[in-house]
Amino acid sequence: MATAYRPYEPGTEPRGHLVPAVLKAPFQGRVWREFLYVLISLPMAILTFVYTVTMIALGAGLLITFLGVPVLGAALAGCRALGIVERARARALLGLEVAEPEPVLGRRGGRGGRRGPVAWVGALLRSGTSWRHVIYALIHLPWAVLSFGFAMAFTFYGWGFATYPLWRWVFPRYMDEPGLQVFGDDRGHDFYLDTPFEIAVTCVAGVLVLFLTPWLMRALTSVDRIMVAGLLGPSRLASRVWELESDRGTVVDTAAADLRRIERDLHDGAQARLVALAMDLGLAKEKLEEDPEAAAKMVDEAHGEVKLALQELRDLARGIHPAILTDRGLGPALSALAARCTVPVKATVDLPQRPAPAIEGIVYFTVSELLQNISKHSGARTAEVDVWRTEDRVMLQITDDGRGGADTSTGSGLAGLAERIDAVDGILVVHSPAGGPTTVTAELPWR
């Protein structure tokens, strides 16, 4: 995920830099970007409001004819198009990353997978995302007017008062007045900002307003952020559906890869040995009467092949799902993995009870894959495996004192592990600086 722009927030700076940050705040680009966003919001809100109200009213009025439904569909489509502009504006000026909402017809079209104008209009009218765009258009205008007024007042009064000593000369020279008039009436009661003290107070007041302006802009645009993210982005349900669809694809791909691996191992390993065994036994049968000693020697060799084939089948079965994991759980299973690793490994499992079988399997194969990586690539002398439970999560941590440099973004086996763990709402974090040590932490659901 790309890193979004993160504006300054009061209280996040170190104490030693608090005053400089406050002094620099009115001049930072963030303030002017947010000010520009608020300025553009008013004309955009007027355009969006007028379009939405006009088209929705027109479509509702035409519902007595066959034109009403298409007009409503066009109104909702236009609102969604304006939503694209609003998300782009928020992304450019506020640094707010909002994902695109669900497509109108989804990934499989309309109901029954149908596509076409009728299905498209029907999907628009049924889509909650479309109506959320309408709500945004209706409520954004009053907020844009309020934001525009506050932003303009604070910005221009702040800069105007702060720079008042620089432009006060305009009044006596061109307006025949001693300074900026605060109030006046027909009876000659006037008050002008013209004395040195009044000018200084005005300037100080303007500077204070300038210092408050960044926080005001932050508060105003925070509401805009909430509206854009909540009404113009995908709903939580849609996001969850997309996430589950992605996870399902990962699970299917992983299962297909496992099946291909099993098929390859069977074809290249045990199956080839069994074919050779059948041929050897056939030759031994032919030589049984002619040369019993040679036949006995061939049977003895075939017996050795049978043992090797059985060992390969046993290793293959252990790779699919080890019997020790099913019978005795993660503790003995991970201890057996640690005993087979070429690097000395200390395995500690602290679980009050056994998690779900699927989670057990993922933890087991994650440890197996990571220990193989340690044996082949890390150059480590020791390693540790720790498994424990925290609330409703299973925590797994593997550390080694190897050379480091492991990374999930290079398309290695770690990337596949991260995808497999993510498919069950888990997280895999790798901390492996150059020179080591390497720490791999995985978090998985208990059930």
Side-chain angles (χ1 to χ4, degrees):
M1 181 182 296
T3 302
Y5 163 72
R6 191 172 183 180
Y8 166 75
E9 296 184 31
T12 60
E13 293 288 341
R15 295 191 178 213
H17 301 283
L18 180 60
V19 174
V22 170
L23 293 177
K24 292 186 296 184
F27 307 96
Q28 289 178 338
R30 171 191 67 84
V31 179
W32 295 104
R33 284 193 294 269
E34 292 178 345
F35 179 67
L36 180 60
Y37 181 88
V38 173
L39 290 185
I40 301 175
S41 288
L42 183 59
M44 280 296 301
I46 295 174
L47 171 64
T48 305
F49 183 87
V50 171
Y51 170 83
T52 302
V53 171
T54 303
M55 293 296 291
I56 294 294
L58 180 62
L62 292 175
L63 282 178
I64 59 175
T65 70
F66 68 91
L67 293 177
V69 173
V71 171
L72 281 177
L76 296 178
C79 288
R80 291 177 70 112
L82 290 170
I84 296 175
V85 177
E86 289 293 277
R87 287 191 298 273
R89 195 163 63 90
R91 185 183 307 114
L93 297 177
L94 301 182
L96 178 66
E97 294 291 340
V98 179
E100 295 294 324
E102 182 182 5
V104 176
L105 292 178
R107 300 181 181 180
R108 296 176 292 178
R111 289 184 177 178
R114 295 176 297 171
R115 292 183 179 272
V118 176
W120 183 72
V121 172
L124 270 173
L125 295 176
R126 292 191 305 270
S127 171
T129 300
S130 301
W131 293 106
R132 284 191 284 111
H133 279 67
V134 173
I135 295 174
Y136 175 84
L138 297 179
I139 69 175
H140 187 222
L141 178 59
W143 174 251
V145 173
L146 181 66
S147 299
F148 184 87
F150 273 98
M152 292 290 289
F154 269 70
T155 300
F156 283 97
Y157 277 112
W159 284 103
F161 287 164
T163 59
Y164 181 60
L166 301 179
W167 54 274
R168 190 188 69 85
W169 59 271
V170 174
F171 293 96
R173 182 168 184 177
Y174 295 105
M175 301 181 183
D176 197 24
E177 295 180 353
L180 182 65
Q181 186 180 26
V182 178
F183 68 86
D185 55 28
D186 296 336
R187 290 176 291 182
H189 297 139
D190 299 323
F191 182 78
Y192 295 93
L193 301 175
D194 55 348
T195 66
F197 175 76
E198 293 168 351
I199 294 173
V201 171
T202 302
C203 184
V204 171
V207 171
L208 293 177
V209 171
L210 282 181
F211 287 157
L212 290 176
T213 300
W215 279 261
L216 173 74
M217 294 296 179
R218 173 64 175 165
L220 294 176
T221 54
S222 293
V223 178
D224 287 286
R225 287 183 174 92
I226 294 173
M227 288 194 296
V228 172
L231 295 175
L232 302 185
S235 65
R236 291 185 178 181
L237 179 60
S239 301
R240 183 59 177 164
V241 169
W242 291 353
E243 182 181 352
L244 291 176
E245 288 181 353
S246 176
D247 291 346
R248 182 183 63 184
T250 301
V251 171
V252 171
D253 293 341
T254 302
D258 289 340
L259 287 176
R260 289 193 298 269
R261 176 181 59 81
I262 293 171
E263 181 183 5
R264 182 180 65 250
D265 292 343
L266 283 173
H267 182 272
D268 297 340
Q271 181 179 345
R273 291 194 179 277
L274 291 175
V275 170
L277 174 62
M279 295 176 61
D280 291 342
L281 290 176
L283 292 175
K285 182 180 179 181
E286 293 179 358
K287 290 183 173 291
L288 186 59
E289 296 181 357
E290 299 176 1
D291 190 353
E293 293 183 1
K297 184 177 180 181
M298 296 177 68
V299 170
D300 185 60
E301 293 176 354
H303 183 255
E305 290 291 329
V306 169
K307 289 182 178 180
L308 291 175
L310 287 174
Q311 182 61 40
E312 290 183 357
L313 289 173
R314 192 177 296 111
D315 293 340
L316 182 60
R318 185 185 296 114
I320 298 173
H321 197 84
I324 189 173
L325 178 62
T326 303
D327 298 338
R328 302 176 59 187
L330 276 173
L334 296 186
S335 296
L337 277 178
R340 291 198 300 268
C341 184
T342 58
V343 175
V345 178
K346 177 184 177 182
T348 304
V349 178
D350 183 14
L351 298 176
Q353 59 190 33
R354 297 180 63 172
I359 301 301
E360 272 192 340
I362 294 176
V363 172
Y364 177 86
F365 289 111
T366 300
V367 174
S368 177
E369 181 74 20
L370 292 175
L371 290 183
Q372 289 183 24
N373 288 345
I374 292 174
S375 299
K376 296 177 182 178
H377 309 297
S378 70
R381 292 172 301 203
T382 59
E384 291 187 11
V385 177
D386 292 305
V387 181
W388 69 97
R389 178 177 180 176
T390 301
E391 296 180 354
D392 60 343
R393 310 289 285 182
V394 179
M395 303 298 297
L396 164 66
Q397 188 173 79
I398 298 182
T399 59
D400 69 75
D401 57 357
R403 64 176 64 94
D407 190 1
T408 58
S409 63
T410 57
S412 61
L414 289 175
L417 284 179
E419 291 180 355
R420 176 176 290 192
I421 292 174
D422 182 67
V424 293
D425 289 337
I427 301 173
L428 182 72
V429 178
V430 178
H431 178 69
S432 182
T438 297
T439 301
V440 180
T441 305
E443 179 182 331
L444 298 97
W446 183 258
R447 296 290 177 186

